[in-house]
Amino acid sequence: MSSSHLLRALRRTLGLGRSQLPVDGRNVILITGCDSGLGHCLAVYCHNVLSMTVVSCCHNLKSDGARLLQQLSSQGDERRRMHTLELDLLQPCSIRLVHDRLQDILAEDPSYQLTALVNNAGVMCFGEFEWQVPEQIEMQINCNLLGTMRLTRQLLPLLRQQRGRIINVTSHCGLQALPALAPYAASKAALRFWTDSLRIELQQYGLEVVNFIPGSFVLDSNIAARQQQHAQRMRECFSAEQHAHYDVYFEQFNGYLKIVSGYKAPNQLKDEALLAKFKDALTSTQPSALYIHEPWRYRVYRWLFWLCPTPLVDWLTLRFCAMPTYETSERKIG
């Protein structure tokens, strides 16, 4: 490490020279996963509150969330500040089209600057690992991890040229794996360490890379909207032996998850403290490497996970999840 690198590291550690960068309509931000939940909330916040030019990427342009964002683009601004694009992270051609459209938007005004890429899009499927079928496992890895990597790699030359930052939305599951979310946790843990590697690589080019963990808001987003369809697919693929072994437990497990299933209104998430942390991640001259937004319950459990030996961590994890288990379903039968 050179002396300049060491000095920069010390200044960041001590928070010396830390300030907030001003943002306005000349600052362009691209956010993925804007159909609902956090992505939709961030797109509206960056447009309405921070007055930025927003490229909001949705999986389906006919979704309620996409339509609400498109309405913002028709408001009477002097220049359009909301651009809603369709993006499928599983399709390389879709990623290339978003890249090309972003280039076109930046070319519209020489004062435009690509300020940030927010990798927020993700999918989740609840179910024990033995239950989940290959396409469900691969969907989570491909979207949450590989799709995010593909998009970031496609946009990196633009980000490097314009000193834009990358904010990767990960999860508490990347810090502590949870049962019934093994592929999802694996994708988020991989995303976490990729983010750390990327941060170290890109520092030499003046780029910031941030890991943003927003806490749980599964009831305020559509990340698990298709859970009952996923469960039906798992059930269809059970062998006779698996049916005999799991059926009672499986029904109780998925009955418990009905509350997270089904599509919710896209704009339900309203959390001022979360948005304040996001603003710091977006505008600080020296952003933290990791931002965690969580209720006190999460904070206590996270501290206990760090402190306790593995057998106790396993027990605490089950308590934290508070979901049906095979053992509890067997007791109910007895």
Side-chain angles (χ1 to χ4, degrees):
M1 178 184 285
S2 68
S3 57
S4 62
H5 287 161
L6 177 60
L7 181 61
R8 185 167 65 238
L10 289 172
R11 285 179 61 85
R12 293 180 73 95
T13 302
L14 298 172
L16 300 177
R18 198 170 190 270
S19 61
Q20 301 298 125
L21 296 167
V23 290
D24 56 28
R26 295 167 294 182
N27 297 98
V28 178
I29 182 170
L30 188 146
I31 307 171
T32 68
C34 294
D35 295 85
S36 68
L38 181 63
H40 186 90
C41 175
L42 295 181
V44 172
Y45 173 74
C46 289
H47 180 274
N48 290 356
V49 178
L50 300 184
S51 299
M52 299 177 73
T53 294
V54 179
V55 181
S56 53
C57 294
C58 297
H59 188 259
N60 180 7
L61 287 183
K62 295 181 180 179
S63 69
D64 291 342
R67 286 172 173 163
L68 286 172
L69 295 173
Q70 288 166 344
Q71 289 174 14
L72 288 178
S73 69
S74 63
Q75 291 180 355
D77 292 322
E78 185 175 327
R79 56 184 174 182
R80 184 180 176 192
R81 290 193 298 104
M82 178 65 75
H83 303 263
T84 305
L85 309 180
E86 190 163 85
L87 172 63
D88 184 345
L89 288 174
L90 304 186
Q91 300 297 327
C93 61
S94 179
I95 290 173
R96 287 193 296 271
L97 286 172
V98 165
H99 168 267
D100 294 346
R101 184 71 187 101
L102 176 61
Q103 280 190 313
D104 292 341
I105 292 168
L106 293 170
E108 290 174 4
D109 189 326
S111 69
Y112 277 163
Q113 177 188 4
L114 180 57
T115 299
L117 162 65
V118 181
N119 285 311
N120 165 74
V123 292
M124 173 191 285
C125 179
F126 286 91
E128 292 197 359
F129 184 71
E130 184 182 343
W131 304 347
Q132 295 195 33
V133 298
E135 62 259 32
Q136 292 168 340
I137 295 168
E138 292 165 13
M139 170 189 68
Q140 293 171 86
I141 300 297
N142 282 333
C143 178
N144 300 350
L145 177 62
L146 299 179
T148 297
M149 286 180 165
R150 291 187 195 104
L151 177 66
T152 302
R153 187 177 183 278
Q154 186 79 47
L155 299 185
L156 258 176
L158 282 175
L159 289 160
R160 176 169 43 77
Q161 293 159 21
Q162 304 206 12
R163 296 286 184 94
R165 65 186 56 185
I166 300 168
I167 301 175
N168 288 332
V169 178
T170 63
S171 168
H172 280 83
C173 289
L175 303 176
Q176 173 62 43
L178 301 179
L181 286 170
Y184 179 80
S187 71
K188 290 297 185 176
L191 197 60
R192 167 194 171 194
F193 283 103
W194 172 66
T195 299
D196 288 342
S197 294
L198 205 58
R199 184 186 69 252
I200 298 168
E201 284 182 15
L202 297 180
Q203 281 176 355
Q204 61 189 323
Y205 308 118
L207 273 68
E208 304 284 357
V209 181
V210 172
N211 181 359
F212 192 82
I213 299 178
S216 177
F217 44 87
V218 68
L219 296 177
D220 296 319
S221 79
N222 288 320
I223 193 170
R226 298 182 64 244
Q227 178 58 35
Q228 294 307 308
Q229 291 97 308
H230 290 317
Q232 180 60 31
R233 178 66 179 142
M234 295 177 208
R235 187 185 292 108
E236 291 169 354
C237 292
F238 274 5
S239 67
E241 186 275 336
Q242 287 173 316
H243 275 296
H245 185 72
Y246 286 124
D247 268 359
V248 173
Y249 169 35
F250 186 83
E251 293 306 318
Q252 289 184 6
F253 180 91
N254 284 292
Y256 178 86
L257 288 171
K258 282 184 178 177
I259 191 172
V260 306
S261 303
Y263 287 89
K264 294 99 179 166
N267 53 353
Q268 289 192 160
L269 182 61
K270 301 183 190 303
D271 190 327
E272 294 300 325
L274 181 148
L275 292 174
K277 288 181 181 177
F278 174 76
K279 182 181 178 182
D280 192 78
L282 177 64
T283 64
S284 174
T285 55
Q286 296 180 11
S288 300
L290 173 65
Y291 290 81
I292 302 180
H293 181 69
E294 59 190 353
W296 67 267
R297 177 175 173 268
Y298 278 48
R299 194 173 300 117
V300 169
Y301 270 103
R302 190 159 53 83
W303 178 75
L304 290 172
F305 292 153
W306 174 80
L307 186 68
C308 294
T310 300
L312 277 178
V313 170
D314 292 348
W315 178 80
L316 285 166
T317 301
L318 292 174
R319 295 273 298 180
F320 175 77
C321 293
M323 293 173 67
T325 65
Y326 182 79
E327 184 180 30
T328 58
S329 66
E330 287 292 291
R331 279 204 301 266
K332 284 185 178 180
I333 296 173

